[in-house]
């Protein structure tokens, strides 16, 4: 075994995210001498990321080796860990297309990266590239662990497990730990005093327990406090990071389901048929639903990155703080054997007994020298299972379309989407899918562009 790991970052042009993950890695002594292989197809963004990674290492006094690649397979050679973070088609043209084409049919979205017609299209664009990474990994680093940070997370994780079951993979998101921090802030309780257990699917996992540690060593259920605070108008508190997103949808669903969902209100509003409806602007206003939120974020992030890139280029050191991403924790536990617990997206395989065995679930996982080991959850409450299944239907049909190269299943997936089905009739759904597939032709596998396939 080499004395230090090799960490390959595919999509290293996602510089801000790369900075967070590599900054976390280099703060861990056992990983600080790692070889960091950065790969991206955009030479300018790759060069910017190389500068940032090098300055991170100098700031932290780390002895890491920074390498850059435009060739994916070469970057993957002998890797121990592979981090993937990219967006096929980018903000322009693909994200814009995923929003503007559905609008012509009266179908409005908020984020459109996980479910709905936007999520389906992103999955069709993304999975073939993930499969190519898996193919290259089997050739040059078959024992490496794939840490996948790409949306649509559940579709991607499911599709990798279907075609490349031998790949050691985990889909990673920050919604579980991020939402726990938000709720702790709402309740004015230190996050260190919170204990929780969550399970479900990515972006639709629920806290099965959400408790506060007591002075006597016991724990107190915090759900009554959350419900009471919402009904009295004290919760949620105004957002500390995005005033467009007041987070009321999730609190409302808490009162209906009895459990709090781990992904944001702006996401959750488009995973269900209840909140975004033609002619119901009262719902949009009541729950503060930020339509077209993701394009707005993309524009803001692009502008922010331009100024940040100039700042990084003109400084010798870069301020480093610990992020709440799981990547470095996983690498540290696998490399050193020191155990940790993360929330990961993996093939179900019976972890959640009320969901299909082959779907992708988000559950607590033990990580140590043996790798990532999902834990058993059992059956979810019936109402949670029923709601989650509506999203799994869309994921399953999208994965089947990809695996079987069956265009008909793309229509079926859109037909089963809760929000799309609540707004459009069958002819509209078919026509919308045709329009989106035509608009994305250059970014899709050939079979998806052949009408009647």
């Amino acid at each position: 075994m080499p004395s230090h790991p090799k960490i390959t970052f595919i999509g290293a042009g996602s510089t801000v995210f790369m900075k967070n993950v590599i900054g976390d890695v280099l703060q861990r002594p056992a990983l600080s001498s790692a070889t960091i292989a950065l790969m991206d197809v955009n030479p300018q963004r790759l060069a910017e990321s190389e500068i940032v990674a090098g300055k991170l290492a100098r700031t932290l006094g780390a002895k890491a080796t920074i390498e850059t690649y435009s060739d994916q397979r070469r970057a993957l050679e002998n890797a121990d860990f592979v981090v993937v973070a990219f967006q096929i088609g980018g903000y322009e043209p693909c994200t814009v297309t995923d929003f503007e084409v559905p609008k012509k049919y009266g179908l409005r979205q908020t984020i459109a990266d996980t479910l709905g017609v936007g999520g389906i299209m992103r999955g069709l664009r993304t999975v073939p590239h993930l499969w190519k990474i898996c193919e290259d990994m089997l050739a040059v680093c078959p024992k490496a662990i794939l840490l996948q940070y790409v949306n649509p997370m559940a579709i991607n994780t499911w599709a990798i497990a279907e075609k490349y079951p031998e790949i050691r993979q985990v889909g990673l998101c920050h919604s579980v730990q991020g939402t726990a921090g938000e709720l702790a802030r709402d309740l004015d309780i230190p996050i260190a005093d919170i204990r929780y257990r969550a399970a479900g699917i990515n972006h639709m996992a629920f806290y099965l327990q959400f408790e506060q540690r007591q002075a006597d060593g016991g724990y107190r259920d915090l759900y009554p406090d959350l419900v009471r605070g919402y009904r009295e108008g004290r919760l949620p508190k105004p957002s500390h990071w995005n005033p467009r997103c007041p987070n009321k949808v999730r609190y409302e669903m808490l009162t209906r389901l009895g459990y709090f969902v781990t992904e944001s209100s702006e996401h959750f509003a488009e995973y269900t048929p209840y909140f975004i409806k033609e002619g119901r602007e009262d719902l949009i206003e009541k729950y503060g639903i930020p339509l077209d939120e993701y394009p707005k974020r993309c524009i803001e992030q692009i502008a922010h990155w331009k100024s940040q890139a100039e700042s990084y280029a003109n400084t010798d050191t870069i301020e480093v703080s610990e992020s709440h991403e799981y990547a470095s924790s996983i690498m540290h536990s696998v490399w050193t054997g020191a155990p940790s617990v993360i929330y990961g997206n993996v093939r179900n395989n019976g972890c959640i007994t009320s969901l299909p065995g082959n779907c992708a679930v988000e559950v607590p996982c033990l990580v140590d020298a043996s790798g990532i080991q999902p834990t058993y959850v059992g059956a979810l409450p019936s109402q949670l299972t029923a709601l989650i299944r509506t999203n799994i239907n869309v994921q399953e049909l999208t994965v089947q379309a990809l695996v079987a190269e069956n265009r008909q299943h793309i229509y079926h997936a859109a037909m089963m989407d809760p929000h799309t089905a609540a707004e459009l009739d069958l002819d509209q759904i078919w026509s919308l899918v045709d329009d989106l597939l035509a608009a994305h032709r250059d970014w899709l596998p050939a079979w998806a562009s052949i009408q009647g396939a």
Side-chain angles (χ1 to χ4, degrees), residues 79 101 108 132 139 141 173 177 193 197 215 251 305 310-311 351 361 394 396 400 434:
V101 173
R108 300 173 295 174
K132 183 62 171 67
C141 59
C173 183
Q177 65 271 40
D193 292 342
R197 186 167 182 257
Y251 271 91
W305 169 245
E310 293 176 6
S311 172
C351 291
V361 295
V394 181
E396 181 172 29
Q400 287 189 8
D434 284 338

Side-chain angles (χ1 to χ4, degrees), residues 16 297-312:
V16 174
R297 289 184 193 177
C298 289
I299 292 168
E300 291 168 353
Q301 288 167 357
I302 290 167
H304 178 66
W305 169 245
K306 286 181 180 177
S307 63
Q308 200 168 42
E310 293 176 6
S311 172
Y312 288 156

